[in-house]
Amino acid sequence: MAFTLSIYPWVYVGKYDNNWSGDFIEQEHLSPEEESALPADELEALHNRRNSFPDLPLVNYTSQYGLGCFEGVKAFPQKDGGLKVFRPGENAARMARSMEGLGMPGVDTELCEKAILGTAGRNAELGFTVKYDPEWEKDSFLSAGSIYIRPFSWSEPGIGISLSKKPWLVVVNTAVSAYFSGDNFNAVTTDMIRATPKGTGWIKCDANYVIPCLAKNKAVQAGYMEAIFLDAEEHKYIEEGSSCNFFTLMKDGTLVTPELGDTILPGITRKSIITLAQDRGVKVEERKLALEEVLSEGAESFVTGTAAGITPITSLTHEGNKVSFGKGTPGELSMSLLKELKGIQYGVLEDRFNWMVSVES
Ligand SMILES: *Cc1c(COP(=O)(O)O)cnc(C)c1O
């Protein structure tokens, strides 16, 4: 996904101090048209000012020790003209669990959901939004844009080894363009370890991203799209991609994804894909998924996450041996599930599981 750091004007800043409260804040801006006409350096300076929260301390438990959590949520322009967010209540609930997992007060989930819906709605009213383009229907929304909403926590000032007791919640929005830019869907296993038993792998926290950033960079340098992590103890079972959950469709028609536990992040896309697959009669198993089994029995593989929805994996290389899945092109079930998910998200297919929630202003 092509992320941008063009933070939209409306942000939300909340704080815990015995209870949760906060405000929507309209940061400095011009009209979207005036901003896009600015010289590049002036626009960058404006974006940098909007990416600055002077009331928040620089030296704190988040910046020093990685005690921070975040979420990735998307708002999708609808075919009928509205703007809807995919399962924001799930993200708010996970944000609260993540914060509690790091020993800080969990965010009030209602406040968090309102901040998600309210920033996107207010920005859209100012014209900072992505407009629905019927052209997207031609490639089943593979090239469609959306709005990325990023809630994150930030601790109070601190330098001693301690936990955050009075965290902030900040929510910012940016535009994102399509993920599918190329045709490289080749993945490679990494011998780095993302998550260990009894660790923080199940928490969507800053600290979990150190190893994936390093491993993904190495994989990309070597010409791959994604790095695939194996389990810490036996180095035998597939766990996740760098920031996404892993699925393999076996040759016998069973769709398998690693079972949740302390080393797997409970992805909302993962959960949604399981629902969509089961709904069409595909047998889904959540269990340990051996690398050997994927390499010998896998017919299709893909990874899931908010960024791309589904990203096909056409081959997996382990210790120099490359194994292609099926014809070595994105699999039929992978693409069909992707199209169904995108169809629901962009409002061209019925939202039969009530996943989509309108933004608020
Ligand atoms: C966010 C994340 C995912 C995907 O979760 P979604 O809710 O589907 O976006 C998967 N793995 C890791 C490690 C993540 O941080």
Side-chain angles (χ1 to χ4, degrees), residues 72 91 94 194 204 209 240 242-245 265-270 304-306:
N91 293 93
R94 187 172 63 189
R194 188 194 83 89
K204 203 167 178 77
Y209 272 72
E240 288 203 47
S242 60
S243 60
C244 36
N245 296 109
L265 197 289
I268 295 158
T269 318
R270 174 188 180 280
T304 64
T306 296

Side-chain angles (χ1 to χ4, degrees), residues 212-227:
C213 285
L214 292 169
K216 176 145 187 177
N217 184 261
K218 211 167 148 188
V220 169
Q221 296 292 321
Y224 298 97
M225 173 197 74
E226 179 64 305

